[in-house]
Amino acid sequence: MLLAIDCGNTNTVFSIWNGTQAIATWRTSTEWQRTADQYYVWLSSLMAFQKIDVVIDEVIVSSTVPRVVFNLRVLSDRYFNCRPLVVGKAGCALPQESRVDIGTTVGPDRLVNTAGAYDRHGGDLIVVDFGTATTFDVVASDGAYVGGVIAPGVNLSLEALHNAAAALPHVDISKPQSVVGTNTVACMQSGVFWGYIGLVREICARIKAERGVPMKVIATGGLAPLFQQSEALFDAFEEDLTMHGLIVIHRYNKEIA
């Protein structure tokens, strides 16, 4: 049984796969101080609560937080008796190598999203991921990651407004009733919502013009449906794109082993 772990800057997702589908998926906050023993107690308790009795003998990890990887390696070795595949590290092959500047390190999350999106939609893609950062990943016709764009995340922008300006409250992102707000909260929501609509549309348009080929825009991340409901920004929304990418990479490594 495979345990796929996606560690982001804010949250870490654990998912158990039986080869074709997820048996269970859990989410916890990302904390680099958390030990392998703490991970195991948390995970085994959830498995027991849901009466999941399986033997995990394979692990694959994608982490944008380098300090977390060590304890996840220990978790795999100590409790599952296996060496994990870690995306972006030696020993974990990719279906298609990236084509970026020499010496550039591509974030594991972007490599995983690329693999997952190409497997489901083919090439010539723009993958927009609404995470801690809002990222745009460009996938070539052969499935290679060839570059992208990084912008501040939606919630990060709201937090920055709240923390830097004493008079501005903390607000949740939602679609405003009108563009022109008549109170502080509505003004902030309008600026963030329509600002990100414009950001996504403009960046995608410029990527398409620069590449000179028809491209599909694939969205992932929890806030993607919010922006899609107002404007036809995306050709598809993939809620589990990162996890699917981990499965694709794991399958590829088993095939070439």
Side-chain angles (χ1 to χ4, degrees), residues 58-112:
E58 295 179 291
V59 178
I60 184 168
V61 177
S62 168
S63 177
T64 58
V65 185
R67 288 188 289 184
V68 171
V69 175
F70 173 77
N71 284 318
L72 293 177
R73 286 185 184 274
V74 175
L75 171 71
S76 301
D77 179 64
R78 180 178 299 167
Y79 291 104
F80 306 130
N81 195 32
C82 68
R83 180 182 178 85
L85 284 173
V86 181
V87 178
K89 302 296 184 182
C92 183
L94 299 173
Q96 185 62 257
E97 292 300 321
S98 302
R99 294 196 291 272
V100 293
D101 294 343
I102 296 174
T104 299
T105 300
V106 181
D109 55 331
R110 310 184 81 175
L111 298 173
V112 171

Side-chain angles (χ1 to χ4, degrees), residues 10 12 19 25 61 65 72 111 116 144 191 205 214 220 230 234:
T10 304
T12 300
T25 299
V61 177
V65 185
L72 293 177
L111 298 173
T220 190
S230 175
F234 317 120

Side-chain angles (χ1 to χ4, degrees), residues 162-173:
H162 171 64
N163 292 332
L168 296 181
H170 183 277
V171 301
D172 293 326
I173 179 65

Side-chain angles (χ1 to χ4, degrees), residues 2 58 60 85 91-97 115 118-119 244-257:
L2 172 66
E58 295 179 291
I60 184 168
L85 284 173
C92 183
L94 299 173
Q96 185 62 257
E97 292 300 321
Y118 181 72
D119 184 69
H244 178 67
L246 281 172
I247 304 308
V248 169
I249 293 173
H250 176 264
R251 184 175 64 219
Y252 177 74
N253 279 266
K254 291 194 71 173
E255 290 172 352
I256 65 173

